Amino acid sequence: MFNYTVRTTKNNRTDTKTVGFASLTIEECFAVNGILIIDGPNGRFISFPVSPKSNGDYKDIAFPITAECREILQKAILDSFEETLKNADAEPTEE
């Protein structure tokens, strides 16, 4: 479909449902930063960047247009995040 790279990081705060963050680069020429990885009541999902409007609503800034594209990107981001978590657990801790 298209080439992309994903980078994910863990959110170290525990007082939020946002467990991580992702950045996405598409075709080495378009980047989307500020993708949230959220633990929801029906499982983990991603939220693309939004901008608050003056009436309290939010406006999408960057997002997949098709369901197929969203599924591909969500799977890639969540898979990358699982690897990030595994690597974080494998890192030695200082005592």
Side-chain angles (χ1 to χ4, degrees):
M1 179 177 232
F2 52 88
N3 295 317
Y4 57 87
T5 56
V6 174
R7 290 174 308 284
T8 56
T9 58
K10 180 181 174 184
N11 184 5
N12 292 322
R13 290 182 51 185
T14 58
D15 61 340
T16 177
K17 293 182 190 254
T18 300
V19 294
F21 306 96
S23 296
L24 172 69
T25 303
I26 302 170
E27 295 291 339
E28 297 183 18
C29 65
F30 186 80
V32 180
N33 297 318
I35 300 168
L36 304 179
I37 303 168
I38 300 169
D39 271 343
N42 297 318
R44 197 165 279 165
F45 66 96
I46 62 171
S47 176
F48 281 86
V50 295
S51 177
K53 294 168 61 175
S54 60
N55 66 0
D57 289 341
Y58 292 91
K59 179 175 177 67
D60 292 330
I61 295 173
F63 54 92
I65 294 175
T66 66
E68 177 187 18
C69 181
R70 180 171 185 80
E71 289 172 17
I72 290 168
L73 295 177
Q74 178 158 289
K75 181 177 182 339
I77 290 168
L78 294 179
D79 287 351
S80 174
F81 186 64
E82 288 302 318
E83 284 300 313
T84 297
L85 293 178
K86 285 180 192 173
N87 292 337
D89 289 342
E91 291 178 4
T93 57
E94 293 183 25
E95 295 185 26

